[in-house]
């Protein structure tokens, strides 16, 4: 292994690492980097391997996106060189380790105009924690990008957004609109991965990411057909999908990694195995409709991932919307009394608890219970989306508990305290989608209310085989650890 770089290139953004799984001997990774178009390919020198140039994956708006798949051997001082810099990586995942979880990296309007001094407070805190107690993995639970303003990229997309639903299908999707929207998504991803704290973490901590609605546009999949299947909506989705594959999965759109079981890309449900645990990220957006969360491809991939996890291993399931929550179907029923599409109707339909998704919600919870009870693997669900921190438990038939941990959001502004109080009151009603398996929403350690309205991130730790969870809250600081 050399101690000096073989080559230095002028990177515009990156590198970003992506987790592909690990065992006792090696860690499998993907890497992405961006240069100006026409620049020489960056060269990757991974410990234990010869130096290789990254492969060109896309040329976009004067830039080149490069990537590679590679392996690092397990060792105490392992890492790689890229662009003349050395990046250490935690490769021994068989013993004590830390896993970070983040979600909701933005806000619906004006995200680009925000000062990084305030916007990225929690990213800087997460990066500082990594310097002292390195993370082995970083999980991203959705809304990594707030792309709602993509409709402002072109005059016709803006006009489409302002039309009533019955007028949207008549607006054509043109090459000019496609180019403008693709440019918007690319520019936004480039800005986010260049953000200093994320850039520091992304180069050193392998990520697994799954998208949610704002990575496309607010409420994607939960809108009426007239909006959802209009040419402009489908064009926006294709642009979002292209950039999601490049920058969140870290892949060539023509060659998805092994973590994606559906090779067609109809669903981006992912799973990866690590020593003693697995991570599963069902795709709750690609196939979503008002009456469906996942289609056949998504369910097949997710359930195959569950089956592939060794018996007895912990399963960490990243559900972009909470799998355990209050009886939001009651609010949904109330809104149904009013004519037309209500402001928050798509937000309610986004949830597993929606009346339109009841059968799938039961299927999800039944699958997780079978894993925990019949195959002996404890299950922990982590989620974001609601811009609040909370947790929940569902008692399983053998007396054990399914834990739900919600961390949201890392940069999204905290919502009004009244939202948390209202959801807390609703949670008192209780809910049992599985008979005699009541769901209980609970306070974070040391907090006075069920929902905490502060920006936050989650840390999962394994010590001597035992897992705990703690939340880093912007104002309240670190919670005590919760045993899982």
């Amino acid at each position: 292994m050399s101690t000096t770089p073989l080559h230095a290139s002028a990177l515009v953004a990156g590198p970003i690492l992506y987790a592909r799984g690990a065992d006792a001997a090696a860690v499998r990774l993907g890497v992405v980097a961006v240069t100006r178009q026409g620049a020489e390919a960056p060269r990757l020198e991974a410990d234990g391997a010869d130096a290789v140039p990254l492969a060109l994956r896309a040329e976009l708006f004067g830039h080149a996106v490069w990537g590679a798949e590679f392996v690092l051997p397990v060792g105490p001082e392992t890492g790689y060189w890229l662009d003349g810099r050395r990046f250490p990586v935690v490769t021994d995942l068989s013993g004590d380790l830390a896993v970070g979880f983040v979600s909701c990296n933005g806000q619906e309007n004006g995200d680009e105009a925000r000062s990084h001094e305030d916007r990225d407070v929690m990213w800087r805190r997460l990066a500082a924690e990594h310097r002292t107690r390195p993370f082995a993995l970083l999980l991203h639970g959705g809304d990594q990008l707030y792309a709602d303003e993509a409709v402002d990229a072109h005059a016709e997309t803006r006009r489409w957004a302002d039309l009533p639903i019955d007028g949207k299908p008549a607006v054509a999707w043109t090459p000019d609109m496609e180019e403008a929207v693709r440019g918007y998504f690319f520019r936004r991803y480039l800005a986010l991965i260049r953000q200093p704290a994320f850039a520091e973490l992304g180069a050193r901590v392998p990520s697994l990411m799954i998208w949610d609605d704002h990575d496309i546009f607010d409420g994607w999949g939960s809108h009426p057909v007239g909006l959802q299947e209009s040419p402009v909506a489908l064009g926006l989705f294709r642009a979002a999908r292209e950039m999601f594959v490049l920058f969140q999965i870290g892949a060539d759109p023509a060659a998805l990694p092994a973590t994606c079981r559906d090779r067609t890309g109809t669903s981006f449900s992912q799973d990866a195995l690590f020593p003693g645990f697995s991570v599963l990220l069902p795709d709750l957006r690609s196939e979503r409709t008002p009456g469906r969360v996942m289609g056949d491809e998504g369910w097949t991939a997710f359930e195959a991932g569950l089956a592939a996890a060794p018996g007895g291993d912990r399963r960490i399931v990243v559900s972009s919307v909470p799998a355990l929550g209050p009886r939001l179907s009651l609010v949904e029923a109330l809104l149904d009394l009013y004519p037309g599409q209500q402001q928050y109707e798509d937000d309610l339909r986004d949830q597993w608890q929606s009346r339109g998704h009841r059968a799938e919600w039961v299927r999800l919870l039944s699958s997780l219970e079978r894993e925990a009870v019949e195959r002996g693997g404890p299950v922990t669900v982590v989620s974001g989306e609601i811009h609040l921190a909370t947790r929940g438990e569902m008692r399983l038939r053998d007396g054990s508990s399914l834990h739900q941990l919600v961390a949201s959001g890392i940069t999204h502004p905290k919502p009004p305290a009244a939202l948390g109080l209202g959801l807390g009151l609703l949670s008192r009603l209780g809910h049992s989608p599985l008979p005699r398996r009541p769901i209980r929403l609970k306070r974070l350690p040391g907090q006075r209310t069920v929902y905490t309205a502060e920006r936050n991130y989650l840390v999962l730790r394994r010590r001597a085989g035992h897992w705990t969870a703690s939340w880093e809250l912007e104002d309240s600081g670190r919670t005590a650890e919760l045993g899982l």
Side-chain angles (χ1 to χ4, degrees), residues 325-348:
R327 297 185 66 177
L328 296 176
S329 57
L330 295 178
V331 181
E332 193 177 19
L334 180 63
L335 289 181
D336 282 348
L337 298 175
Y338 296 87
Q341 173 85 357
Q342 303 304 311
Q343 180 179 359
Y344 298 109
E345 199 165 336
D346 63 296
D347 296 296
L348 294 169

Side-chain angles (χ1 to χ4, degrees), residues 225-420:
V225 171
L227 186 162
Q228 194 70 41
E229 297 184 5
S230 67
V232 173
L234 296 176
L236 287 163
F237 174 78
R238 286 192 297 271
R241 182 188 186 278
E242 176 189 10
M243 302 302 168
F244 168 77
V245 173
L246 284 172
F247 294 111
Q248 292 202 42
I249 294 182
D252 184 334
L256 295 175
T259 52
C260 295
R261 291 180 178 269
D262 176 17
R263 309 310 298 167
T264 71
T266 302
S267 168
F268 293 118
S269 291
Q270 300 168 71
D271 63 275
L273 297 177
F274 303 93
F277 70 102
S278 61
V279 179
L280 301 100
L281 303 96
D283 180 357
L284 309 185
R285 286 295 162 183
S286 291
E287 302 172 282
R288 182 183 282 268
T289 70
R292 181 182 73 193
V293 179
M294 288 194 288
D296 291 341
E297 287 78 6
W299 277 110
T300 296
F302 175 60
E303 291 173 342
L306 285 174
D313 279 9
R314 180 172 295 272
R315 284 80 160 151
I316 300 173
V317 177
V318 180
S319 176
S320 55
V321 296
L324 305 182
R327 297 185 66 177
L328 296 176
S329 57
L330 295 178
V331 181
E332 193 177 19
L334 180 63
L335 289 181
D336 282 348
L337 298 175
Y338 296 87
Q341 173 85 357
Q342 303 304 311
Q343 180 179 359
Y344 298 109
E345 199 165 336
D346 63 296
D347 296 296
L348 294 169
R349 190 58 62 91
D350 280 347
Q351 307 302 315
W352 282 109
Q353 302 97 299
S354 168
R355 292 179 301 161
H357 307 318
R358 182 84 179 193
E360 284 185 277
W361 190 27
V362 168
R363 180 177 180 177
L364 173 74
L365 296 179
S366 297
S367 297
L368 300 182
E369 183 178 53
R370 282 195 302 273
E371 287 299 304
V373 174
E374 297 175 15
R375 300 191 63 219
V379 177
T380 303
V381 182
V382 294
S383 296
E385 199 268 337
I386 61 174
H387 311 149
L388 298 157
T390 189
R391 68 185 185 94
E393 293 182 18
M394 186 178 78
R395 186 68 64 181
L396 305 179
R397 64 177 183 263
D398 66 348
S400 64
S401 291
L402 170 68
H403 287 274
Q404 159 84 58
L405 314 171
V406 178
S408 175
I410 188 146
T411 69
H412 193 284
K414 64 182 181 182
L419 176 61

Side-chain angles (χ1 to χ4, degrees), residues 89-361:
V89 180
V90 173
T91 55
D92 186 357
L93 279 70
S94 60
D96 295 354
L97 57 79
V99 177
F101 174 78
V102 301
S103 72
C104 298
N105 182 32
Q107 66 181 29
E108 291 81 350
N109 298 297
D111 193 46
E112 292 181 87
R114 288 201 287 170
S115 163
H116 283 284
E117 182 64 26
D118 172 68
R119 182 192 185 279
D120 300 321
V121 166
M122 300 307 291
W123 277 115
R124 290 196 296 275
R125 202 176 293 183
L126 183 62
E129 182 168 351
H130 173 71
R131 290 180 214 124
T132 58
R133 295 191 294 177
F135 289 97
L137 288 173
L138 186 57
L139 308 179
H140 306 247
D143 295 339
Q144 279 69 257
L145 175 81
Y146 274 68
D148 305 278
E149 292 176 323
V151 294
D152 295 326
H154 191 278
E156 279 295 280
T157 52
R158 181 66 263 169
R159 183 173 74 86
W160 171 87
D162 292 336
L163 287 172
I165 289 174
D166 59 4
K168 292 182 187 295
V171 181
W173 180 252
T174 68
D176 284 349
M177 293 161 70
E178 180 173 340
E179 192 73 355
V181 168
R182 290 175 71 238
Y184 169 85
F185 274 98
F186 177 75
R187 177 173 54 79
R188 290 288 288 125
Y189 271 113
L190 200 62
L192 289 175
I193 64 179
R194 285 168 54 88
Q195 186 270 101
F198 176 84
E200 178 182 346
L201 288 162
R204 296 163 175 82
V205 186
S207 287
L208 279 164
M209 308 186 191
I210 196 61
W211 61 356
D212 202 27
D213 59 334
H214 291 285
D215 296 291
I216 309 162
F217 62 75
D218 186 17
W220 170 264
S222 296
H223 293 289
V225 171
L227 186 162
Q228 194 70 41
E229 297 184 5
S230 67
V232 173
L234 296 176
L236 287 163
F237 174 78
R238 286 192 297 271
R241 182 188 186 278
E242 176 189 10
M243 302 302 168
F244 168 77
V245 173
L246 284 172
F247 294 111
Q248 292 202 42
I249 294 182
D252 184 334
L256 295 175
T259 52
C260 295
R261 291 180 178 269
D262 176 17
R263 309 310 298 167
T264 71
T266 302
S267 168
F268 293 118
S269 291
Q270 300 168 71
D271 63 275
L273 297 177
F274 303 93
F277 70 102
S278 61
V279 179
L280 301 100
L281 303 96
D283 180 357
L284 309 185
R285 286 295 162 183
S286 291
E287 302 172 282
R288 182 183 282 268
T289 70
R292 181 182 73 193
V293 179
M294 288 194 288
D296 291 341
E297 287 78 6
W299 277 110
T300 296
F302 175 60
E303 291 173 342
L306 285 174
D313 279 9
R314 180 172 295 272
R315 284 80 160 151
I316 300 173
V317 177
V318 180
S319 176
S320 55
V321 296
L324 305 182
R327 297 185 66 177
L328 296 176
S329 57
L330 295 178
V331 181
E332 193 177 19
L334 180 63
L335 289 181
D336 282 348
L337 298 175
Y338 296 87
Q341 173 85 357
Q342 303 304 311
Q343 180 179 359
Y344 298 109
E345 199 165 336
D346 63 296
D347 296 296
L348 294 169
R349 190 58 62 91
D350 280 347
Q351 307 302 315
W352 282 109
Q353 302 97 299
S354 168
R355 292 179 301 161
H357 307 318
R358 182 84 179 193
E360 284 185 277
W361 190 27

